[in-house]
Amino acid sequence: MNTQPTLAKEGEVSGDPGGSGSSAPGDNGGLKAGLKNRHLSMIAIGGVIGAGLFVGSGSGIAAAGPAILLSYALVGAMVVFVMRMLGEMAAARPSSGSFSAYADQALGRWAGFTIGWLYWFFWVVVLAVEATAGAKILESWIPAVPQWGWALIVMVVLTATNLASVSSYGEFEFWFAGIKVVAIGAFVVVGLLAVFGVLPGSDNPGAGFAHLTDAGGFFPMGAGAILTGVLMVVFSFMGSEIVTLAAGESEDPQRAVTKATNSVIWRIGVFYLGSIFVVLTLLPWNDKAITEKGSYVAALDSIGIPHAGQVMNVIVLTAVLSCLNSGLYTASRMAFSLGQRGDAPKAFARTNGRGVPTPAILASVAFGFVAVFFNYKWPDTVFAFLLNSSGAVALFVWLVICVTQLRMRGIILRETPDKLVVRMWLFPYLTWATIAMITFVLGYMVYDGGSNREQVVLSLLVAALVLAVGLVKDRLRKSAGPELELERH
């Protein structure tokens, strides 16, 4: 068993065995390349399809009407730009720590420490949310097992999967994501056939493009509702960055990241904009069934698909399990990277003989179990605080990726220019524009008030606390002298 956290030689991360003369921002020391190209492809495709798309789109449609399409387009464009920036860095220097490792090198140890721990916190809270959501569906099917029992079963099974090997995670995620992709693809195709009136047996005579304007116009709630929609849909896009963490455990990281980055536009276009467009053309936006049954179930019901509710429950459960599986993987790899860089307990950087970071996985799932307990015991107090205090972390992560890329472009060009195979468009202008977009969304969340303001404020407080710890650690490290830095490398 490999019980020592090993660090790769310079250049190994970017696939340069001979070294590049630079210190790579993170590495795969101890991890094994167990993910196949088909695993990475499906992780990339399925990563943008969260359970929030299935269960949360109805409330967005109700709040903005057909204009919700513009909300999805705006957030989708923002994610495309962020992924392009992250892809540029990840293709040049694949790392299990991804943006946290890049922030470490480009902005300072405090930045990598802060965003790494915030991201870990975000995902372990998501574990509790998804485990509870999955348990509710399973309990409705088999009520003999209580909800907490199902949550425990789901967590234990997926923990065992992640502990087995990275290829086990990849295989589970391949099938979970595959079901989501096939389901959304089939929904878009069948829905469009019904919209154009060529679906055999369809009993939706009102389907058509007229629904985009026949109930108060395209902006029934006013143009300002686009921004309200943005706040409601932005968090359903979280997860698209997972492929850049997973790529570090693949045989050809650069190819995997490049492929995922180049395909993000059509993935968002088909899965988000395509599916919501189908819903809006099959039903009037103000149809009560959209909020009562859910947008996808209501759309399927409208064209006469039998047992639409149960079919969608199976798909939502698959999306939940996929998110839980990836959340545990992502949290553990971030903890592993933090351990490697000395920003977490050294035990987190240990791997077993199969290349699995067992301590990092167990620590992440342990916090997940605690969060599940909080969700059942104190859902409106302790767990609500956890949920709100991690709510805006997604936007913080995207913001850090943008700022990091501004610095990393120069570092990559100076040290390994041949690795710059993915480039951000219109650099640096589009990078700055994306920073402005994300900052505006955060500001509008505060202005909007209610739960949005609470999420930003609490997330900022937690971020400030983690940042303070990071700055103190950085100062203590520097005052201890160069020995610690030599030990780190």
Side-chain angles (χ1 to χ4, degrees):
M1 178 180 289
N2 175 20
T3 57
Q4 294 301 318
T6 57
L7 294 181
K9 299 287 193 303
E10 290 177 352
E12 283 184 3
V13 177
S14 55
D16 179 11
S20 62
S22 65
S23 177
D27 54 74
N28 301 335
L31 299 179
K32 292 187 177 179
L35 292 176
K36 300 176 182 177
N37 285 334
R38 65 182 178 88
H39 293 153
L40 265 295
S41 296
M42 198 55 75
I43 290 169
I45 295 171
V48 296
I49 310 173
L53 174 62
F54 297 104
V55 299
S57 55
S59 56
I61 291 172
I68 194 68
L69 284 169
L70 297 180
S71 302
Y72 274 104
L74 283 172
V75 179
M78 193 162 67
V79 172
V80 166
F81 298 152
V82 170
M83 277 299 294
R84 188 76 186 180
M85 288 180 251
L86 184 55
E88 176 180 297
M89 297 182 286
R93 303 184 175 210
S95 167
S96 62
S98 189
F99 51 84
S100 172
Y102 309 140
D104 187 311
Q105 183 179 9
L107 306 178
R109 294 289 298 275
W110 59 271
F113 175 93
T114 303
I115 205 62
W117 276 113
L118 286 176
Y119 192 67
W120 179 87
F121 175 55
F122 171 86
W123 279 111
V124 292
V125 172
V126 166
L127 292 182
V129 175
E130 301 298 338
T132 304
K136 286 180 180 177
I137 295 174
L138 290 166
E139 186 191 29
S140 70
W141 294 344
I142 308 176
V145 179
Q147 194 179 117
W148 66 265
W150 280 120
L152 181 64
I153 291 169
V154 166
M155 290 279 279
V156 168
V157 169
L158 292 180
T159 300
T161 300
N162 275 267
L163 285 172
S165 67
V166 68
S167 61
S168 296
Y169 155 73
E171 200 62 36
F172 266 73
E173 191 57 25
F174 176 81
W175 291 106
F176 285 155
I179 292 172
K180 291 190 295 184
V181 169
V182 170
I184 288 286
F187 175 81
V188 171
V189 171
V190 171
L192 287 176
L193 290 175
V195 169
F196 288 107
V198 293
L199 181 68
S202 174
D203 54 1
N204 186 342
F209 297 104
H211 284 325
L212 295 174
T213 56
D214 64 4
F218 192 75
F219 300 98
M221 311 299 286
I226 296 173
L227 294 176
T228 303
V230 164
L231 302 187
M232 300 182 78
V233 307
V234 66
F235 300 108
S236 65
F237 283 84
M238 192 63 172
S240 53
E241 71 290 332
I242 290 175
V243 68
T244 63
L245 283 84
E249 292 178 79
S250 69
E251 294 177 354
D252 191 351
Q254 191 176 78
R255 179 177 177 272
V257 169
T258 302
K259 187 176 179 182
T261 303
N262 290 336
S263 66
V264 71
I265 297 176
W266 73 259
R267 286 185 277 135
I268 289 175
V270 172
F271 299 133
Y272 279 86
L273 290 174
S275 62
I276 298 300
F277 175 80
V278 166
V279 172
L280 289 168
T281 48
L282 286 174
L283 292 166
W285 71 271
N286 55 359
D287 191 313
K288 291 183 179 179
I290 290 178
T291 51
E292 291 174 356
K293 297 180 180 180
S295 55
Y296 293 88
V297 174
L300 292 173
D301 277 343
S302 75
I303 55 179
I305 302 294
H307 310 296
Q310 284 305 319
V311 170
M312 194 51 61
N313 268 341
V314 172
I315 296 168
V316 170
L317 178 63
T318 303
V320 164
L321 294 177
S322 171
C323 189
L324 222 170
N325 193 38
S326 287
L328 181 52
Y329 171 83
T330 306
S332 66
R333 278 4 181 228
M334 186 57 74
F336 171 82
S337 178
L338 288 166
Q340 275 192 310
R341 289 177 272 142
D343 289 334
K346 288 184 178 180
F348 285 8
R350 293 174 184 164
T351 58
N352 61 21
R354 298 184 303 278
V356 175
T358 304
I361 291 175
L362 293 177
S364 300
V365 81
F367 194 96
F369 274 122
V370 171
V372 169
F373 173 75
F374 287 156
N375 195 10
Y376 285 107
K377 189 71 175 176
W378 301 289
D380 299 321
T381 51
V382 179
F383 188 72
F385 172 80
L386 290 178
L387 204 57
N388 284 323
S389 60
S390 65
V393 167
L395 291 167
F396 295 168
V397 167
W398 294 345
L399 196 59
V400 167
I401 289 171
C402 296
V403 176
T404 300
Q405 191 260 341
L406 286 172
R407 296 287 301 275
M408 278 298 291
R409 167 68 74 91
I411 294 172
I412 295 169
L413 282 175
R414 185 169 63 252
E415 298 179 354
T416 53
D418 57 307
K419 303 295 183 183
L420 197 63
V421 294
V422 176
R423 289 175 178 261
M424 177 58 183
W425 308 295
L426 299 177
F427 178 83
Y429 308 109
L430 203 49
T431 299
W432 280 110
T434 308
I435 291 173
M437 288 169 65
I438 298 170
T439 305
F440 176 79
V441 171
L442 284 167
Y444 192 76
M445 286 178 71
V446 175
Y447 171 78
D448 191 57
S451 61
N452 287 320
R453 178 181 296 167
E454 187 177 6
Q455 283 187 20
V456 174
V457 171
L458 288 177
S459 296
L460 281 172
L461 287 174
V462 171
L465 178 62
V466 178
L467 173 60
V469 174
L471 289 171
V472 169
K473 278 181 64 70
D474 210 21
R475 178 164 293 186
L476 290 174
R477 190 182 292 114
K478 289 176 180 177
S479 64
E483 291 82 5
L484 285 176
E485 283 301 310
L486 288 172
E487 182 182 321
R488 182 190 180 210
H489 293 292

